[in-house]
Amino acid sequence: MEALRARLPGLVLQAAAATQAYDRMAWARYMVIFIPIPFVVVMFRLYMQAWHYYLAGGLFLAIAIGVYAIDLAAANRRDEAARAVDRAQEALERARLSQAATGEIS
């Protein structure tokens, strides 16, 4: 039980750091999708040929898929850290209940 108590604050800090890192970078990842390519298309629309639009659309989709994959991995890391905290808290609560059931005082 002491090991669980000692481990829990570290897990909470890891979960908070993972959440903060995700929140801090999420907007930047999506700005990479929604600003550069549409901006270039709008700026150079008078000079673009038809095939340029296909190229821009394909590039937009490729970057969107890549950023989505990166964001999904970051969200999974954040969620796994939160689940680790939940599992540790549940294990600590089970240990407390088993100690209370056996009559030990913590």
Side-chain angles (χ1 to χ4, degrees):
M1 189 155 146
E2 293 304 318
L4 288 172
R5 282 187 188 154
R7 186 173 161 226
L8 189 59
L11 289 174
V12 170
L13 287 175
Q14 286 178 348
T19 300
Q20 183 182 16
Y22 178 81
D23 292 342
R24 184 177 46 235
M25 291 305 297
W27 67 272
R29 284 190 289 268
Y30 287 104
M31 279 182 53
V32 166
I33 297 172
F34 293 111
I35 292 180
I37 295 171
F39 180 73
V40 168
V41 168
V42 168
M43 289 298 295
F44 296 106
R45 70 182 181 273
L46 297 177
Y47 303 104
M48 292 176 68
Q49 302 292 322
W51 65 273
H52 292 133
Y53 289 101
Y54 292 114
L55 181 66
L59 187 61
F60 182 82
L61 288 176
I63 291 174
I65 290 169
V67 169
Y68 179 73
I70 292 169
D71 187 65
L72 188 60
N76 286 338
R77 282 192 302 272
R78 176 200 62 194
D79 294 343
E80 183 56 39
R83 282 192 296 271
V85 169
D86 291 341
R87 286 191 302 266
Q89 287 174 339
E90 289 171 3
L92 184 60
E93 188 60 32
R94 281 194 307 271
R96 284 183 187 151
L97 289 175
S98 68
Q99 277 188 350
T102 59
E104 296 177 17
I105 298 175
S106 60

XYZ file of all heavy atoms in Angstrom:
830
model
N 0.820 -1.187 0.000
C 0.000 0.000 0.000
C 0.865 1.252 0.000
O 0.517 2.241 -0.644
C -0.920 -0.014 1.215
C -1.931 1.078 1.158
S -3.349 0.655 2.118
C -3.816 2.234 2.701
N 1.968 1.196 0.694
C 2.874 2.360 0.707
C 3.455 2.621 -0.677
O 3.658 3.761 -1.065
C 3.982 2.149 1.740
C 3.499 2.147 3.181
C 2.746 3.418 3.547
O 3.185 4.522 3.148
O 1.709 3.306 4.217
N 3.728 1.545 -1.396
C 4.252 1.707 -2.752
C 3.226 2.393 -3.648
O 3.573 3.241 -4.477
C 4.638 0.353 -3.336
N 1.953 2.037 -3.471
C 0.899 2.698 -4.250
C 0.789 4.172 -3.884
O 0.620 5.029 -4.759
C -0.445 2.006 -4.015
C -0.611 0.631 -4.635
C -1.904 -0.011 -4.153
C -0.603 0.738 -6.135
N 0.871 4.452 -2.594
C 0.812 5.858 -2.161
C 1.978 6.658 -2.718
O 1.831 7.820 -3.085
C 0.826 5.944 -0.646
C -0.472 5.647 -0.024
C -0.421 5.912 1.453
N -1.642 5.448 2.072
C -1.748 5.074 3.324
N -0.684 5.102 4.105
N -2.893 4.666 3.799
N 3.155 6.038 -2.749
C 4.332 6.738 -3.258
C 4.259 6.916 -4.774
O 4.759 7.911 -5.309
C 5.592 5.966 -2.878
N 3.629 5.984 -5.463
C 3.572 6.016 -6.924
C 2.506 6.981 -7.449
O 2.657 7.548 -8.537
C 3.280 4.599 -7.415
C 3.339 4.438 -8.882
C 3.203 2.961 -9.245
N 2.823 2.889 -10.635
C 1.874 2.120 -11.108
N 1.221 1.328 -10.304
N 1.584 2.124 -12.377
N 1.428 7.170 -6.708
C 0.297 7.957 -7.178
C 0.634 9.416 -7.499
O 0.249 9.904 -8.564
C -0.854 7.871 -6.168
C -2.175 8.463 -6.604
C -2.676 7.770 -7.867
C -3.197 8.340 -5.503
N 1.370 10.152 -6.664
C 1.679 11.549 -7.029
C 2.486 11.675 -8.322
O 2.260 12.598 -9.110
C 2.480 12.071 -5.838
C 2.106 11.193 -4.704
C 1.815 9.854 -5.298
N 3.388 10.743 -8.557
C 4.154 10.772 -9.805
C 3.267 10.543 -11.017
O 3.426 11.202 -12.049
N 2.312 9.623 -10.876
C 1.385 9.371 -11.975
C 0.480 10.568 -12.231
O 0.171 10.903 -13.374
C 0.541 8.132 -11.677
C 1.265 6.800 -11.732
C 0.347 5.674 -11.270
C 1.789 6.531 -13.119
N 0.065 11.225 -11.164
C -0.776 12.423 -11.311
C -0.001 13.523 -12.028
O -0.533 14.188 -12.923
C -1.292 12.899 -9.938
C -1.948 14.265 -10.049
C -2.263 11.887 -9.360
N 1.267 13.693 -11.668
C 2.091 14.694 -12.348
C 2.301 14.347 -13.818
O 2.271 15.227 -14.684
C 3.437 14.839 -11.648
C 3.417 15.552 -10.298
C 4.797 15.521 -9.665
C 2.937 16.981 -10.471
N 2.513 13.070 -14.124
C 2.668 12.645 -15.517
C 1.395 12.905 -16.312
O 1.448 13.361 -17.454
C 3.030 11.170 -15.592
C 4.446 10.864 -15.209
C 4.726 9.369 -15.248
O 3.816 8.544 -15.351
N 6.002 9.016 -15.160
N 0.242 12.613 -15.713
C -1.028 12.841 -16.397
C -1.261 14.325 -16.637
O -1.706 14.732 -17.712
C -2.179 12.246 -15.589
N -0.930 15.142 -15.648
C -1.091 16.594 -15.814
C -0.152 17.122 -16.894
O -0.540 17.970 -17.711
C -0.835 17.301 -14.491
N 1.074 16.610 -16.919
C 2.035 17.047 -17.941
C 1.592 16.612 -19.333
O 1.708 17.375 -20.294
C 3.421 16.494 -17.625
N 1.066 15.397 -19.453
C 0.598 14.916 -20.757
C -0.602 15.724 -21.236
O -0.691 16.073 -22.418
C 0.233 13.432 -20.670
N -1.503 16.055 -20.331
C -2.665 16.867 -20.690
C -2.240 18.263 -21.103
O -2.728 18.809 -22.104
C -3.653 16.938 -19.512
O -4.069 15.608 -19.188
C -4.870 17.776 -19.852
N -1.317 18.843 -20.359
C -0.835 20.189 -20.687
C -0.110 20.203 -22.031
O -0.309 21.108 -22.841
C 0.088 20.704 -19.589
C 0.557 22.118 -19.822
C 1.510 22.584 -18.738
O 2.056 21.783 -17.981
N 1.724 23.874 -18.667
N 0.707 19.193 -22.272
C 1.424 19.126 -23.551
C 0.452 18.969 -24.711
O 0.622 19.593 -25.764
C 2.411 17.963 -23.526
N -0.579 18.149 -24.529
C -1.572 17.979 -25.591
C -2.315 19.286 -25.849
O -2.468 19.706 -26.989
C -2.566 16.884 -25.219
C -3.633 16.721 -26.260
C -3.392 15.996 -27.414
C -4.879 17.329 -26.107
C -4.360 15.866 -28.391
C -5.848 17.197 -27.080
C -5.585 16.472 -28.214
O -6.544 16.355 -29.177
N -2.784 19.920 -24.774
C -3.540 21.163 -24.923
C -2.690 22.272 -25.541
O -3.188 23.079 -26.319
C -4.083 21.627 -23.572
C -5.161 20.697 -23.035
O -5.719 19.904 -23.828
O -5.441 20.760 -21.825
N -1.414 22.313 -25.184
C -0.533 23.368 -25.677
C -0.257 23.211 -27.174
O -0.152 24.202 -27.894
C 0.776 23.330 -24.888
C 1.732 24.436 -25.230
C 2.986 24.416 -24.369
N 3.553 23.094 -24.240
C 3.795 22.494 -23.070
N 3.527 23.103 -21.950
N 4.326 21.287 -23.036
N -0.173 21.991 -27.667
C 0.195 21.779 -29.061
C -0.986 21.490 -29.991
O -0.821 21.501 -31.205
C 1.199 20.630 -29.163
C 2.559 20.968 -28.581
S 3.315 22.448 -29.287
C 3.510 21.975 -30.984
N -2.166 21.243 -29.452
C -3.303 20.888 -30.309
C -3.631 21.995 -31.302
O -3.840 21.745 -32.490
C -4.525 20.545 -29.457
N -3.673 23.223 -30.839
C -4.029 24.325 -31.741
C -2.975 24.505 -32.825
O -3.299 24.812 -33.970
C -4.222 25.618 -30.958
C -2.963 26.136 -30.343
C -2.447 25.826 -29.124
C -2.033 27.029 -30.947
N -1.258 26.469 -28.932
C -0.983 27.223 -30.034
C -1.981 27.679 -32.169
C 0.097 28.040 -30.318
C -0.903 28.499 -32.438
C 0.116 28.671 -31.509
N -1.713 24.306 -32.484
C -0.640 24.470 -33.476
C -0.731 23.401 -34.560
O -0.517 23.680 -35.738
C 0.716 24.421 -32.788
N -1.059 22.171 -34.157
C -1.199 21.107 -35.150
C -2.307 21.423 -36.139
O -2.169 21.206 -37.345
C -1.467 19.772 -34.453
C -0.237 19.176 -33.819
C -0.491 17.762 -33.359
N -1.374 17.693 -32.211
C -0.957 17.681 -30.951
N 0.324 17.748 -30.682
N -1.815 17.596 -29.971
N -3.409 21.934 -35.661
C -4.515 22.225 -36.562
C -4.293 23.493 -37.382
O -4.825 23.612 -38.489
C -5.832 22.265 -35.793
C -6.234 20.865 -35.418
C -6.080 20.390 -34.120
C -6.696 19.978 -36.374
C -6.406 19.094 -33.791
C -7.020 18.672 -36.061
C -6.878 18.246 -34.769
O -7.195 16.955 -34.452
N -3.509 24.406 -36.877
C -3.159 25.582 -37.685
C -2.308 25.175 -38.885
O -2.391 25.802 -39.938
C -2.414 26.616 -36.840
C -3.329 27.469 -36.009
S -2.483 28.725 -35.070
C -1.524 29.546 -36.300
N -1.510 24.140 -38.721
C -0.691 23.649 -39.833
C -1.585 23.177 -40.975
O -1.218 23.282 -42.147
C 0.231 22.500 -39.343
C 0.844 21.738 -40.491
C 1.306 23.058 -38.441
N -2.771 22.688 -40.665
C -3.693 22.226 -41.700
C -4.451 23.389 -42.327
O -4.505 23.525 -43.542
C -4.734 21.248 -41.110
C -4.070 20.005 -40.575
C -5.765 20.864 -42.153
C -5.015 19.100 -39.828
N -5.053 24.201 -41.507
C -6.073 25.116 -41.997
C -5.582 26.500 -42.400
O -6.375 27.297 -42.870
C -7.179 25.258 -40.948
C -7.942 23.991 -40.752
C -7.833 23.284 -39.574
C -8.725 23.486 -41.765
C -8.526 22.109 -39.409
C -9.417 22.303 -41.606
C -9.324 21.608 -40.421
N -4.307 26.796 -42.254
C -3.845 28.130 -42.648
C -2.966 28.119 -43.894
O -3.290 28.802 -44.857
C -3.172 28.842 -41.464
C -4.235 29.146 -40.430
C -2.468 30.109 -41.909
C -3.765 29.838 -39.205
N -1.868 27.392 -43.959
C -0.931 27.591 -45.072
C -1.480 27.276 -46.460
O -1.364 28.111 -47.359
C 0.243 26.674 -44.747
C 0.100 26.294 -43.342
C -1.332 26.439 -42.990
N -2.053 26.115 -46.646
C -2.476 25.729 -47.995
C -3.646 26.584 -48.490
O -3.578 27.126 -49.591
C -2.773 24.225 -48.068
C -1.474 23.461 -47.816
C -3.367 23.846 -49.422
C -1.636 21.994 -47.656
N -4.723 26.751 -47.703
C -5.787 27.637 -48.182
C -5.301 29.070 -48.412
O -5.739 29.742 -49.349
C -6.836 27.584 -47.075
C -6.623 26.257 -46.437
C -5.146 26.039 -46.501
N -4.378 29.544 -47.593
C -3.840 30.892 -47.762
C -3.110 31.018 -49.105
O -3.300 31.994 -49.835
C -2.886 31.219 -46.605
C -2.277 32.580 -46.700
C -3.025 33.706 -46.438
C -0.942 32.731 -47.057
C -2.460 34.965 -46.521
C -0.374 33.975 -47.147
C -1.137 35.110 -46.877
N -2.302 30.030 -49.442
C -1.574 30.062 -50.712
C -2.545 30.006 -51.884
O -2.378 30.726 -52.884
C -0.548 28.899 -50.782
C 0.003 28.726 -52.182
C 0.574 29.137 -49.782
N -3.574 29.172 -51.773
C -4.556 29.069 -52.857
C -5.275 30.410 -53.054
O -5.452 30.867 -54.186
C -5.559 27.929 -52.576
C -6.750 27.990 -53.526
C -4.867 26.588 -52.680
N -5.670 31.051 -51.974
C -6.361 32.342 -52.088
C -5.427 33.405 -52.642
O -5.824 34.221 -53.489
C -6.948 32.765 -50.719
C -7.414 34.202 -50.729
C -8.101 31.850 -50.346
N -4.188 33.412 -52.196
C -3.253 34.444 -52.647
C -2.898 34.310 -54.129
O -2.746 35.304 -54.826
C -1.962 34.402 -51.818
C -2.139 34.877 -50.403
S -2.664 36.579 -50.270
C -1.253 37.414 -50.941
N -2.775 33.094 -54.615
C -2.312 32.880 -55.985
C -3.402 32.337 -56.908
O -3.104 31.789 -57.968
C -1.104 31.934 -55.980
C 0.073 32.505 -55.272
C 0.442 32.039 -54.020
C 0.804 33.533 -55.842
C 1.536 32.573 -53.366
C 1.895 34.080 -55.182
C 2.263 33.595 -53.946
N -4.666 32.526 -56.559
C -5.750 31.944 -57.349
C -5.775 32.458 -58.785
O -6.208 31.761 -59.690
C -7.089 32.162 -56.661
C -7.564 33.590 -56.656
C -8.877 33.710 -55.898
N -9.342 35.078 -55.919
C -9.003 36.003 -55.050
N -8.181 35.699 -54.062
N -9.468 37.228 -55.136
N -5.315 33.675 -59.011
C -5.322 34.225 -60.372
C -4.205 33.638 -61.232
O -4.250 33.735 -62.461
C -5.198 35.746 -60.327
C -6.358 36.470 -59.625
C -6.081 37.958 -59.570
C -7.669 36.176 -60.301
N -3.199 33.056 -60.610
C -2.052 32.522 -61.343
C -2.063 31.003 -61.445
O -1.195 30.417 -62.075
C -0.752 32.957 -60.667
C -0.642 34.447 -60.551
C -0.858 35.084 -59.334
C -0.345 35.232 -61.662
C -0.767 36.452 -59.226
C -0.260 36.606 -61.556
C -0.475 37.211 -60.337
O -0.400 38.565 -60.243
N -3.033 30.370 -60.801
C -3.041 28.906 -60.720
C -3.745 28.286 -61.919
O -4.760 28.801 -62.401
C -3.712 28.449 -59.419
C -2.903 28.806 -58.184
S -3.711 28.384 -56.643
C -3.694 26.625 -56.711
N -3.218 27.170 -62.361
C -3.847 26.359 -63.396
C -4.795 25.368 -62.693
O -4.760 25.212 -61.473
C -2.783 25.582 -64.175
C -1.743 26.447 -64.832
C -2.343 27.266 -65.966
O -3.191 26.782 -66.693
N -1.899 28.506 -66.102
N -5.591 24.676 -63.456
C -6.536 23.722 -62.876
C -5.819 22.621 -62.098
O -6.261 22.223 -61.013
C -7.406 23.118 -63.965
N -4.698 22.139 -62.600
C -4.009 21.047 -61.915
C -3.399 21.490 -60.598
O -3.159 20.689 -59.704
C -2.963 20.400 -62.821
C -1.812 21.294 -63.198
C -1.752 22.160 -64.244
C -0.572 21.401 -62.503
N -0.545 22.796 -64.253
C 0.209 22.352 -63.194
C -0.025 20.781 -61.383
C 1.479 22.701 -62.783
C 1.246 21.121 -60.976
C 1.982 22.081 -61.683
N -3.174 22.795 -60.439
C -2.666 23.300 -59.164
C -3.679 23.074 -58.041
O -3.300 22.811 -56.896
C -2.340 24.792 -59.256
C -1.182 25.105 -60.128
N -1.226 26.093 -61.069
C 0.061 24.568 -60.208
C -0.064 26.159 -61.694
N 0.735 25.234 -61.177
N -4.960 23.204 -58.374
C -5.995 22.985 -57.361
C -6.030 21.523 -56.928
O -6.224 21.225 -55.741
C -7.373 23.417 -57.891
C -7.489 24.910 -58.013
C -7.354 25.543 -59.247
C -7.718 25.700 -56.892
C -7.458 26.915 -59.363
C -7.822 27.069 -56.996
C -7.691 27.677 -58.229
O -7.785 29.027 -58.330
N -5.848 20.612 -57.866
C -5.779 19.196 -57.506
C -4.567 18.924 -56.614
O -4.649 18.183 -55.633
C -5.709 18.310 -58.757
C -6.982 18.328 -59.564
C -7.006 18.875 -60.839
C -8.146 17.784 -59.047
C -8.175 18.892 -61.586
C -9.323 17.787 -59.787
C -9.329 18.348 -61.045
O -10.475 18.349 -61.776
N -3.458 19.525 -56.958
C -2.246 19.371 -56.154
C -2.446 19.942 -54.749
O -2.083 19.300 -53.757
C -1.067 20.058 -56.847
C 0.280 19.966 -56.155
C 0.764 18.521 -56.135
C 1.281 20.852 -56.862
N -3.044 21.131 -54.676
C -3.290 21.753 -53.370
C -4.262 20.913 -52.544
O -4.075 20.734 -51.333
C -3.823 23.166 -53.546
N -5.298 20.385 -53.184
C -6.251 19.536 -52.470
C -5.616 18.261 -51.964
O -5.856 17.841 -50.825
N -4.798 17.640 -52.791
C -4.103 16.426 -52.363
C -3.128 16.696 -51.230
O -3.035 15.926 -50.278
N -2.413 17.802 -51.340
C -1.483 18.191 -50.276
C -2.228 18.482 -48.983
O -1.802 18.080 -47.898
C -0.666 19.406 -50.721
C 0.461 19.853 -49.815
C 1.494 18.745 -49.665
C 1.113 21.107 -50.393
N -3.359 19.161 -49.099
C -4.186 19.460 -47.935
C -4.633 18.174 -47.251
O -4.528 18.045 -46.027
C -5.400 20.293 -48.361
C -6.285 20.687 -47.227
C -5.980 21.787 -46.451
C -7.429 19.971 -46.945
C -6.795 22.164 -45.396
C -8.257 20.329 -45.893
C -7.937 21.433 -45.120
N -5.120 17.211 -48.037
C -5.563 15.938 -47.458
C -4.412 15.161 -46.834
O -4.557 14.585 -45.742
C -6.253 15.088 -48.519
C -7.631 15.565 -48.955
C -8.159 14.693 -50.078
C -8.584 15.558 -47.786
N -3.272 15.135 -47.500
C -2.112 14.403 -46.964
C -1.654 15.010 -45.640
O -1.389 14.280 -44.674
C -0.971 14.403 -47.980
N -1.576 16.317 -45.583
C -1.160 16.970 -44.339
C -2.212 16.781 -43.254
O -1.877 16.529 -42.093
C -0.856 18.461 -44.590
C 0.403 18.594 -45.439
C -0.696 19.219 -43.281
C 0.711 20.009 -45.871
N -3.487 16.865 -43.619
C -4.556 16.666 -42.641
C -4.505 15.263 -42.048
O -4.644 15.081 -40.838
C -5.914 16.919 -43.283
N -4.272 14.260 -42.884
C -4.186 12.883 -42.388
C -2.966 12.718 -41.481
O -3.040 12.083 -40.431
C -4.164 11.892 -43.565
C -5.535 11.871 -44.239
C -3.754 10.497 -43.109
C -5.552 11.136 -45.558
N -1.840 13.305 -41.872
C -0.636 13.225 -41.041
C -0.810 13.904 -39.692
O -0.443 13.353 -38.653
N -1.396 15.083 -39.702
C -1.616 15.806 -38.443
C -2.632 15.075 -37.581
O -2.493 15.014 -36.357
C -2.040 17.260 -38.722
C -2.520 17.951 -37.463
C -0.885 18.027 -39.326
N -3.644 14.486 -38.205
C -4.620 13.709 -37.449
C -3.951 12.516 -36.770
O -4.237 12.213 -35.609
C -5.750 13.234 -38.360
C -6.769 12.398 -37.639
C -7.667 12.975 -36.751
C -6.814 11.019 -37.815
C -8.586 12.203 -36.070
C -7.730 10.241 -37.152
C -8.622 10.834 -36.280
O -9.521 10.060 -35.599
N -3.053 11.839 -37.470
C -2.346 10.700 -36.887
C -1.476 11.144 -35.712
O -1.435 10.479 -34.668
C -1.496 10.008 -37.949
N -0.798 12.267 -35.864
C 0.024 12.795 -34.777
C -0.855 13.178 -33.584
O -0.531 12.896 -32.428
C 0.859 13.996 -35.268
C 1.915 13.515 -36.259
C 1.503 14.742 -34.100
C 2.605 14.646 -37.005
N -1.983 13.830 -33.865
C -2.893 14.242 -32.803
C -3.497 13.033 -32.101
O -3.647 13.029 -30.881
C -3.989 15.131 -33.378
C -4.847 15.720 -32.288
O -4.309 16.512 -31.487
O -6.050 15.397 -32.225
N -3.829 12.015 -32.853
C -4.385 10.798 -32.263
C -3.375 10.135 -31.329
O -3.735 9.683 -30.236
C -4.814 9.838 -33.365
C -5.595 8.605 -32.944
C -6.883 9.001 -32.241
C -5.902 7.759 -34.161
N -2.117 10.087 -31.723
C -1.076 9.511 -30.864
C -0.908 10.330 -29.584
O -0.774 9.770 -28.492
C 0.241 9.427 -31.622
N -0.932 11.654 -29.706
C -0.805 12.515 -28.532
C -2.013 12.354 -27.603
O -1.865 12.310 -26.373
C -0.646 13.970 -28.953
N -3.199 12.245 -28.174
C -4.399 12.049 -27.361
C -4.358 10.689 -26.664
O -4.777 10.571 -25.504
C -5.648 12.165 -28.232
N -3.840 9.680 -27.344
C -3.717 8.362 -26.712
C -2.734 8.386 -25.549
O -2.969 7.752 -24.522
C -3.307 7.312 -27.738
C -4.450 6.945 -28.653
O -5.615 7.138 -28.321
N -4.116 6.426 -29.814
N -1.617 9.106 -25.706
C -0.665 9.239 -24.594
C -1.317 9.945 -23.411
O -1.143 9.534 -22.256
C 0.569 10.007 -25.038
C 1.540 9.204 -25.852
C 2.877 9.907 -26.025
N 2.747 11.210 -26.663
C 2.762 11.418 -27.978
N 2.885 10.399 -28.808
N 2.650 12.634 -28.469
N -2.062 11.004 -23.686
C -2.750 11.742 -22.625
C -3.770 10.852 -21.930
O -3.830 10.796 -20.700
C -3.440 12.961 -23.235
C -4.254 13.754 -22.244
C -5.276 14.621 -22.913
N -6.215 13.780 -23.641
C -7.057 14.223 -24.542
N -7.059 15.491 -24.867
N -7.887 13.408 -25.146
N -4.557 10.111 -22.706
C -5.586 9.249 -22.133
C -4.983 8.089 -21.353
O -5.510 7.697 -20.318
C -6.501 8.723 -23.237
C -7.314 9.828 -23.896
O -7.416 10.935 -23.314
O -7.828 9.593 -25.005
N -3.877 7.536 -21.835
C -3.221 6.440 -21.120
C -2.681 6.917 -19.775
O -2.755 6.197 -18.774
C -2.107 5.838 -21.967
C -1.435 4.652 -21.321
C -2.379 3.527 -20.934
O -3.317 3.238 -21.687
O -2.164 2.928 -19.859
N -2.145 8.125 -19.727
C -1.656 8.675 -18.457
C -2.815 8.855 -17.482
O -2.684 8.547 -16.286
C -0.941 10.000 -18.700
N -3.954 9.319 -17.968
C -5.130 9.485 -17.104
C -5.645 8.129 -16.625
O -6.039 7.975 -15.461
C -6.220 10.245 -17.838
N -5.636 7.135 -17.510
C -6.077 5.794 -17.110
C -5.128 5.191 -16.073
O -5.560 4.479 -15.165
C -6.189 4.879 -18.320
C -7.447 5.118 -19.138
C -7.681 4.014 -20.161
N -6.631 3.952 -21.177
C -6.645 4.633 -22.314
N -7.640 5.436 -22.593
N -5.659 4.510 -23.181
N -3.834 5.463 -16.182
C -2.870 4.949 -15.196
C -3.156 5.535 -13.822
O -3.073 4.826 -12.813
C -1.444 5.272 -15.640
N -3.503 6.814 -13.777
C -3.864 7.432 -12.499
C -5.120 6.782 -11.943
O -5.185 6.454 -10.752
C -4.061 8.961 -12.663
C -4.679 9.565 -11.422
C -2.749 9.635 -12.979
N -6.121 6.570 -12.785
C -7.364 5.940 -12.330
C -7.110 4.525 -11.804
O -7.651 4.142 -10.763
C -8.390 5.892 -13.465
C -8.901 7.269 -13.844
O -8.761 8.212 -13.027
O -9.431 7.407 -14.967
N -6.284 3.765 -12.524
C -5.973 2.409 -12.075
C -5.240 2.426 -10.738
O -5.514 1.604 -9.855
C -5.145 1.673 -13.123
C -5.930 1.236 -14.332
C -5.129 0.282 -15.212
N -3.866 0.859 -15.672
C -3.707 1.489 -16.833
N -4.719 1.625 -17.662
N -2.525 1.959 -17.178
N -4.309 3.358 -10.566
C -3.564 3.447 -9.304
C -4.489 3.850 -8.161
O -4.376 3.318 -7.048
C -2.411 4.435 -9.445
N -5.404 4.770 -8.413
C -6.343 5.171 -7.363
C -7.275 4.023 -6.988
O -7.563 3.818 -5.805
C -7.152 6.385 -7.818
C -6.343 7.660 -7.834
C -7.104 8.830 -8.428
O -8.068 8.662 -9.177
N -6.658 10.032 -8.094
N -7.730 3.277 -7.985
C -8.576 2.120 -7.691
C -7.816 1.055 -6.906
O -8.355 0.458 -5.966
C -9.116 1.524 -8.990
C -10.145 2.388 -9.669
C -10.512 1.890 -11.055
O -9.996 0.823 -11.465
O -11.293 2.576 -11.717
N -6.565 0.813 -7.261
C -5.752 -0.175 -6.535
C -5.522 0.277 -5.103
O -5.575 -0.544 -4.177
C -4.421 -0.380 -7.253
N -5.281 1.562 -4.917
C -5.083 2.091 -3.566
C -6.371 1.955 -2.759
O -6.329 1.574 -1.580
C -4.635 3.554 -3.635
C -4.282 4.231 -2.319
C -3.140 3.495 -1.631
C -3.899 5.673 -2.563
N -7.496 2.237 -3.365
C -8.774 2.111 -2.660
C -9.058 0.645 -2.313
O -9.528 0.348 -1.210
C -9.904 2.682 -3.516
C -11.221 2.776 -2.814
C -11.180 3.663 -1.574
O -10.419 4.638 -1.548
O -11.920 3.345 -0.616
N -8.761 -0.275 -3.238
C -8.937 -1.699 -2.935
C -8.022 -2.130 -1.792
O -8.421 -2.912 -0.929
C -8.662 -2.541 -4.180
C -9.803 -2.570 -5.162
C -9.626 -3.671 -6.203
N -8.346 -3.626 -6.896
C -8.103 -2.944 -8.011
N -9.077 -2.250 -8.571
N -6.914 -2.965 -8.581
N -6.798 -1.622 -1.778
C -5.871 -1.967 -0.694
C -6.376 -1.425 0.635
O -6.287 -2.104 1.665
C -4.485 -1.409 -1.012
N -6.908 -0.215 0.619
C -7.468 0.356 1.860
C -8.647 -0.467 2.350
O -8.782 -0.723 3.555
C -7.921 1.790 1.621
C -6.814 2.782 1.561
C -7.365 4.183 1.400
N -6.278 5.121 1.183
C -6.381 6.235 0.492
N -7.534 6.566 -0.057
N -5.348 7.031 0.345
N -9.517 -0.863 1.419
C -10.682 -1.659 1.813
C -10.275 -3.019 2.345
O -10.856 -3.517 3.313
C -11.630 -1.817 0.625
C -12.382 -0.556 0.198
C -13.191 -0.835 -1.062
C -13.253 -0.049 1.309
N -9.257 -3.631 1.728
C -8.824 -4.951 2.223
C -8.155 -4.822 3.585
O -8.320 -5.693 4.441
C -7.881 -5.602 1.222
O -6.665 -4.913 1.160
N -7.450 -3.725 3.820
C -6.864 -3.504 5.149
C -7.950 -3.261 6.185
O -7.870 -3.759 7.303
C -5.899 -2.321 5.137
C -4.524 -2.665 4.660
C -3.559 -1.513 4.857
O -3.962 -0.403 5.179
N -2.292 -1.795 4.677
N -8.969 -2.506 5.798
C -10.064 -2.257 6.718
C -10.818 -3.530 7.019
O -11.281 -3.755 8.149
C -11.000 -1.197 6.132
N -10.963 -4.397 6.036
C -11.679 -5.664 6.230
C -10.906 -6.608 7.139
O -11.492 -7.372 7.887
C -11.937 -6.330 4.877
N -9.564 -6.551 7.061
C -8.759 -7.439 7.903
C -8.489 -6.833 9.272
O -7.915 -7.496 10.117
C -7.408 -7.768 7.220
O -6.700 -6.552 6.991
C -7.647 -8.520 5.928
N -8.876 -5.593 9.470
C -8.735 -4.965 10.778
C -7.451 -4.193 10.960
O -7.178 -3.706 12.055
N -6.637 -4.092 9.932
C -5.410 -3.301 10.037
C -5.754 -1.818 9.966
O -6.693 -1.414 9.294
C -4.448 -3.653 8.905
C -3.965 -5.061 8.935
C -3.060 -5.380 7.737
O -2.588 -4.428 7.103
O -2.872 -6.557 7.458
N -4.995 -1.019 10.653
C -5.224 0.430 10.657
C -4.151 1.083 9.814
O -2.966 0.792 9.940
C -5.180 0.992 12.089
C -6.282 0.366 12.932
C -5.314 2.507 12.058
C -6.242 0.767 14.366
N -4.585 2.016 8.914
C -3.588 2.711 8.077
C -3.443 4.139 8.494
O -4.271 4.769 9.033
C -3.979 2.645 6.607
O -5.227 3.259 6.418
